[in-house]
């Protein structure tokens, strides 16, 4: 097991179970709740129960998926906490992907002005990204993560063994954030990643630590997203627009699949605006298409993509805001591009067949 320390809490990675049992026996929580969705109730809760046989876990089970990350589901969670006499002396364990972590953390932080909670992420995306940094929340009126708060957990417990039951598409989606972390901050890690031949034979525990360290360093430097933390948005300005449009279509894309497209387009912008070498652009783009395939973006819809980017909450002064890479391992926040250049970046992606 490896421990990564932040100012207010620690991240435990690997076979942490004896340490986790110590944590439970050294604390005197009145009750132990575990929030899961139907999938993690089935695939992950048995492991938690087997590893902590002395604890009487009170499960709160919600339906899976982003469409349930809303106030109605929070009602159910708060109601079950109330029905089971939860108070501020109780603990909540969020056992699941980013949806459970964000929403379970939000419910725990607001219930009776805040209960302790820990994150036990079970998807690749939540292990390297969502569980770290204290951002909690839910979607409201179709706007993602529009209600929420910053609050740190008591700890983040990452067991790569949970990934064994995660479907391949979900693994590949989370891998996009690992790629992103290396491109914005760690050329050595990018070297290792670009040498990957076959995603299905990867030992993910080898890639988790370097990746979550990058996220950790960035959130320590800028806990409330005043500046540097925007670096994590590389690929996300165009990626979110692609994700939003795909949601309406017959073939929705997972978050990381859309971010892969966004990273290709924003690497193109990095080439045009910040002078990233052309061969580096072609190499990154080729790698991403090899992993994620190619999903043409209809030219007739460019205007809708641009419209979605214009609405992005990260924009300032009516300009579409990007975080771009002047070179591998470097990032510049608060970059802007005019609409013609953004269209060109979509053309670049489309030309890659
Ligand atoms: N707080 C942050 O800083 C932050 C950062 C990035 C993303 N997010 C949020 O994270 C969410 C996406 O997270 P996600 O991709 O983990 O999605 P998710 O939580 O919906 O999980 C994806 C799917 O995998 C299933 N699953 C989870 N663990 C499993 C396991 N071990 N075995 C089998 N199935 C399993 C889930 O039930 C679900 O069906 C979004 O809501 C996003 O806004 C938050
Ligand atoms: Zn992301």
């Amino acid at each position: 097991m490896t421990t990564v320390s932040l100012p207010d809490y620690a991240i435990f990675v690997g076979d942490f179970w004896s340490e986790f049992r110590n944590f439970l026996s050294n604390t005197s929580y009145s009750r132990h709740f575990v929030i899961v969705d139907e999938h993690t109730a089935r695939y992950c809760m048995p492991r938690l129960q087997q590893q902590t046989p002395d604890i009487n876990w009170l499960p709160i089970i919600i339906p899976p998926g982003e469409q349930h990350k809303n106030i109605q589901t929070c009602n159910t969670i708060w109601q079950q906490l109330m029905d089971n006499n939860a108070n501020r002396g109780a603990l909540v364990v969020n056992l699941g992907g980013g949806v459970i972590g964000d929403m379970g953390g939000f419910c725990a932080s607001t219930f009776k002005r805040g209960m302790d909670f820990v994150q036990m992420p079970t998807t690749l995306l939540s292990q390297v990204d969502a569980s770290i940094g204290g951002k909690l929340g839910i979607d409201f009126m179709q706007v993602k993560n529009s209600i929420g708060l910053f609050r740190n957990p008591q700890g983040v417990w990452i067991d790569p063994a949970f990934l064994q039951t995660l479907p391949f598409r979900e693994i590949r989606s989370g891998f996009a954030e690992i790629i992103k972390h290396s491109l914005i901050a760690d050329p050595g890690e990018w070297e290792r990643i670009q040498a990957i031949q076959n995603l299905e034979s990867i030992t993910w525990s080898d890639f988790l630590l370097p990746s979550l360290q990058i996220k950790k360093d960035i959130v320590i430097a800028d806990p409330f997203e005043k500046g540097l933390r925007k670096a994590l948005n590389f690929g996300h300005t165009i990626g979110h627009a692609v994700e939003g449009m795909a949601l309406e279509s017959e073939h929705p894309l997972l978050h990381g699949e859309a971010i892969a497209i966004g990273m290709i387009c924003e690497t193109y912008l990095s080439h045009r605006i910040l002078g990233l070498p052309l061969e580096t652009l072609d190499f990154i783009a080729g790698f991403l298409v090899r992993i994620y395939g190619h999903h043409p973006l209809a030219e007739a819809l460019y205007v809708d993509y641009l419209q979605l980017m214009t609405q992005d909450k990260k924009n300032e002064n009516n300009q579409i805001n990007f975080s771009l890479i002047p070179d591998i391992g470097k990032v510049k926040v608060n970059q802007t591009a005019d609409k013609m250049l953004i269209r060109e970046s979509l053309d670049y992606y489309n030309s890659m067949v």
Side-chain angles (χ1 to χ4, degrees):
M1 183 196 75
T2 310
T3 308
V4 177
S5 295
L6 284 84
D8 297 332
Y9 60 100
I11 305 169
F12 304 89
V13 189
D15 182 2
F16 56 63
W17 291 99
S18 104
E19 187 73 26
F20 189 61
R21 284 188 292 273
N22 285 342
F23 162 74
L24 293 171
S25 55
N26 295 336
T27 45
S28 47
Y29 289 112
S30 54
R31 272 162 208 273
H32 298 87
F33 292 91
V34 54
I35 304 184
V36 280
D37 66 27
E38 282 155 14
H39 299 145
T40 59
R42 176 162 170 207
Y43 296 115
C44 306
M45 207 159 60
R47 185 168 173 81
L48 172 71
Q49 285 164 326
Q50 275 155 18
Q51 292 286 350
T52 54
D54 297 338
I55 302 289
N56 175 26
W57 291 104
L58 299 164
I60 299 179
I61 305 177
I62 62 168
E66 183 76 25
Q67 70 273 30
H68 298 287
K69 189 182 170 184
N70 57 29
I71 195 72
Q72 284 77 18
T73 313
C74 291
N75 265 338
T76 322
I77 295 172
W78 286 321
Q79 187 142 26
Q80 293 196 45
L81 288 170
M82 209 61 120
D83 289 347
N84 285 287
N85 302 319
N87 54 31
R88 249 187 265 164
L91 175 73
V92 167
V93 173
N94 296 313
L95 180 64
V99 168
I100 292 287
D102 282 13
M103 182 164 50
F106 172 72
C107 287
S109 304
T110 45
F111 187 81
K112 301 202 174 170
R113 298 207 180 84
M115 308 161 65
D116 282 0
F117 66 96
V118 305
Q119 302 294 37
M120 203 174 275
T122 62
T123 61
L124 190 58
L125 183 136
S126 58
Q127 295 193 341
V128 298
D129 188 354
S131 65
I132 301 155
K135 274 197 197 177
L136 309 170
I138 53 168
D139 305 336
F140 185 63
M141 292 178 70
Q142 329 272 306
V143 186
K144 265 194 74 152
N145 302 323
S146 46
I147 305 286
L149 72 163
F150 286 94
R151 189 177 165 113
N152 287 324
Q154 299 304 304
V156 180
W157 302 82
I158 297 176
D159 184 350
F162 283 128
L163 301 177
Q164 282 161 11
T165 54
L166 193 64
F168 175 71
R169 244 185 106 186
E170 294 288 348
I171 291 269
R172 192 178 63 165
S173 172
F175 181 49
E177 306 291 357
I178 296 184
I179 297 171
K180 177 193 78 179
H181 287 161
S182 76
L183 287 175
I184 62 173
D186 193 341
E189 203 44 30
W190 165 250
E191 285 299 313
R192 240 162 47 97
I193 286 171
Q194 54 91 17
I196 291 175
Q197 292 298 327
N198 179 6
L199 267 196
E200 293 184 65
S201 58
I202 296 282
T203 309
W204 287 107
S205 48
D206 298 344
F207 288 88
L208 287 174
L209 256 183
S211 191
L212 64 87
Q213 300 258 20
I214 293 167
K215 169 114 193 209
K216 178 212 74 164
D217 290 343
I218 291 175
V219 301
I220 288 178
D222 180 18
F224 299 110
E225 202 160 31
K226 301 262 190 271
L228 179 67
R229 191 162 173 170
K230 287 187 191 165
L232 297 165
N233 289 326
F234 171 61
H236 281 62
T237 303
I238 295 179
H240 274 150
V242 170
E243 188 179 11
M245 291 291 289
L247 264 185
E248 320 265 293
S249 77
E250 279 169 27
H251 303 289
L253 294 172
L254 295 180
H255 177 72
E257 295 168 340
I259 295 312
I261 298 174
M263 284 195 283
I264 293 176
C265 298
E266 294 184 24
T267 303
Y268 178 85
L269 295 180
S270 303
H271 164 62
R272 291 294 310 277
I273 298 170
L274 297 176
L276 177 87
L278 180 62
E279 57 274 26
T280 311
L281 161 65
D282 287 340
F283 191 83
I284 294 173
F287 175 78
L288 287 166
V289 167
R290 181 154 67 76
I291 303 276
Y292 293 94
H294 191 270
H295 306 268
L297 308 169
E299 208 177 327
L301 299 177
Y302 278 13
V303 54
D304 300 307
Y305 287 113
L306 285 161
Q307 178 61 25
L308 281 176
M309 288 175 225
T310 311
Q311 287 163 7
D312 195 308
K313 60 179 181 285
K314 297 183 296 290
N315 294 343
E316 285 167 23
N317 308 326
N318 270 335
Q319 299 262 40
I320 301 175
N321 191 291
F322 293 94
S323 301
L324 300 177
I325 51 169
D327 206 346
I328 287 173
K330 298 203 171 79
V331 63
K332 282 185 111 170
V333 301
N334 294 331
Q335 302 296 301
T336 56
D338 64 40
K339 291 190 172 163
M340 277 308 290
L341 197 55
I342 299 173
R343 282 173 170 268
E344 254 184 52
S345 78
L346 304 178
D347 284 343
Y348 173 80
Y349 176 74
N350 276 337
S351 72
M352 291 195 63
V353 259

